[in-house]
Amino acid sequence: MTTLPEMRDLTQRLLSYEACAGNTSEPVETTTHRVYQKLRLSLSELAGSAGFHALASRALSLARSEVPSLSAVQVGSDGNLEGISAIEPSIKAEQDRVHEGGVILISRLLGLLFIFLGEALTLSLLREAWPGAVLDDRNSENGRKS
């Protein structure tokens, strides 16, 4: 099973890739939301909107235990994140906390995908959503478990 540090590393790769692909003047939260939206679109095709909603709701629940400010965020019936603007940062320290909340949320969602879909299918879906991103070199065996 994958660990949270491995999922955080993968999340950081996706966020970095998305940040480079997007407008560099956008706030970090917007980049996190774009990653979430790409995951939502990709996974809804595979699992349907109800399946994605269930995974995203569980990931949000797990993330809230680590970042209480995420209590203002809900997963809508269509899988969209609602209330994310309610936790927008007003100062730098708050911005870092909001970014950390987004990283944890995406990490938890990826962790659930690895558990339920397996590493190969999850990485395949991620490669489709982010074709140019380096996603599977987490260890010396090109992302494969030994």
Side-chain angles (χ1 to χ4, degrees), residues 71-108:
S71 63
V73 179
Q74 301 291 322
V75 178
S77 60
D78 60 355
N80 279 319
L81 285 179
E82 298 173 357
I84 194 78
S85 61
I87 62 167
E88 285 182 356
S90 57
I91 58 174
K92 177 68 174 134
E94 289 293 312
Q95 184 179 20
D96 291 342
R97 197 174 72 196
V98 168
H99 174 66
E100 180 66 13
V103 168
I104 290 172
L105 173 60
I106 300 296
S107 297
R108 291 298 185 180

Side-chain angles (χ1 to χ4, degrees), residues 17 38 126-135:
Y17 186 83
K38 280 189 174 182
L126 295 178
R127 280 188 207 101
E128 286 180 25
W130 290 277
V134 177
L135 302 173

